[in-house]
Amino acid sequence: MVLVTDTYQSRVDNETTILMRQDPIIYSDPRAEVPHGLAHHQLKNYQKNGFILLKGLFSEQEAGLFLREARKMTADPKIRRREEAVAEPGSDAGRSVFMVHRLSELYRQLVSDVRVANIARQILGSEVYIHQSRVNLKAGFSGKEFHWHSDFETWHVEDGMPRMRALSCVIFLTENNEFNGPLMLMPGSHMHYISCAGETLQDHYQQSLRKQRHGIADPAALSFLAERGGIQSMKGPAGSVVFFDCNTMHGSNSNISPYPRANLFFVYNSVENTLESPRGGLKPRPEFMATRQDFSPMVPLEPAYGGRK
Amino acid sequence: MVLVTDTYQSRVDNETTILMRQDPIIYSDPRAEVPHGLAHHQLKNYQKNGFILLKGLFSEQEAGLFLREARKMTADPKIRRREEAVAEPGSDAGRSVFMVHRLSELYRQLVSDVRVANIARQILGSEVYIHQSRVNLKAGFSGKEFHWHSDFETWHVEDGMPRMRALSCVIFLTENNEFNGPLMLMPGSHMHYISCAGETLQDHYQQSLRKQRHGIADPAALSFLAERGGIQSMKGPAGSVVFFDCNTMHGSNSNISPYPRANLFFVYNSVENTLESPRGGLKPRPEFMATRQDFSPMVPLEPAYGGRK
């Protein structure tokens, strides 16, 4: 018999368990008006589905500026040599660069941009900081899939994030369409926590960035979630933004199309939900994947990029 | 200097060349009325795009019957041991079974069903026979992509098919949707022939069934085709049918969704376009991939399956 002391225990057993979410989704009063925040009906959709797609939140000019920065960074040999740069499985093509808001002045401003930061603060009902940031490039012709996962499962087990009070903000740097492996989300999946079978090895992150092996939800659990809420893919022009809850099940298919897909991911965490020790005696993942140095709240800015809307 | 005696020469050079199609697309008079054939406007669409999607051509009951047959065959150890059965790369999961119209009485009737056979006869303007048949299973969660290719390039080089006077008929055995790696086609691509760089090795088919290595169109050529005509994915309920020209560029992404995708492929070739010797001194591929034993025309039937529409 196992005494469960961790609400969101995972990877300690040979069985997959489906648990109910124990945390709120919207942490602030949904009727309170927030400058640059979501409207009441948008918050209700986020509450129900676990995500919201905001088409064209940034202008095409702004998205173009952000994309050029991503291409510059991923082509830069100085950055490609850093541990923040992760390649595609079986290739040298850049797949992700982490902690871009520390490597780039432009992205440092962008994470604080009121148009995204205030939505994060509104949903999480507190001041926020960046737990992780990255740019994901899914190249045309050869981009690989990301298997289904809940970010929170990993962040809880491997990073010691206590509760579901974090979210991802995805900024489309190119069009995301049905052909280039768009982000797929399972509506309503944020209400269930899939406690995964198996264990986590030390330094699992070095493999999981390229190809996840642990913390993968099993097919029966995924079918359960998909039968309840289906799947939606996040499609829209460059400059569109998706916010999704840290426990929303998501993944994406490969990209054989000629259309490259590039997205920025910013993970906002509540300053009331800062990291503890990883579960199961794991040592913490590196700073570039899960900040521990600095939990101080960010200050929202109104930056003036070229082509500000 | 190379004297080109083969209109559709490929894999003899280090360069990719884009050639104009030298053959008709519709071989019969498009105004002639054919029982169970396509209407005039449908033929015009096929002529222009290189394909046509016919939603619900078979009833859901019929599709269910065809699917059960596919599952029975792919689970049958006697069939799984045969060379006609091909596994997914890096797995034992069944990916394709070839020559299903010879292995199954149900499919033997289905290839001759007037609702598909008469469209093939109408487009190809002659009697037809089956060059190849197969069932493709793209399992949920793990189905892999098929990279872009023109079937004709392979059939010309590896099978010695003289001209572009063949087509594929795809029958959906499950719903094909945006999540489960639907067939993607490039409209208008049938008008250009991508002569590929490189060579073909003997017995290349043993690898190419799992993962194609030769006869792959290069990225610049694919971008050229996609810029001209874009991409369309073939989505519809079980029982829908796609006809596409042997030279239409096509491929599909992976399938991480929980929804399995199963499709039947029948390749109809004109009896006036039967196989010659493969190009470049290759030995013929096995009978199950490219029939040479029997070019006799099929006799269209009106079979009565359970639930005939």
Side-chain angles (χ1 to χ4, degrees), chain B residues 15-37:
Chain B
E15 275 181 63
T16 295
T17 317
I18 303 180
L19 305 170
M20 294 305 295
R21 182 192 183 104
Q22 302 294 323
D23 294 316
I25 298 137
I26 308 288
Y27 281 78
S28 66
D29 178 352
R31 283 154 308 195
E33 213 162 289
V34 174
H36 298 283

Side-chain angles (χ1 to χ4, degrees), chain A residues 118-143:
Chain A
N118 271 12
I119 293 176
R121 294 163 82 223
Q122 179 185 32
I123 292 171
L124 303 178
S126 69
E127 295 304 324
V128 298
Y129 73 97
I130 295 292
H131 167 64
Q132 185 190 89
S133 73
R134 66 184 191 276
V135 56
N136 274 353
L137 298 178
K138 187 177 278 202
F141 303 113
S142 62

Side-chain angles (χ1 to χ4, degrees), chain A residues 148 178 233 235 253-254 256, chain B residues 148 178 233 235 253-254 256:
Chain A
W148 296 107
E178 66 175 310
S233 39
K235 294 172 290 193
N253 276 317
S254 60
I256 69 158
Chain B
W148 296 106
E178 66 175 309
S233 39
K235 294 172 289 193
N253 276 317
S254 60
I256 69 158

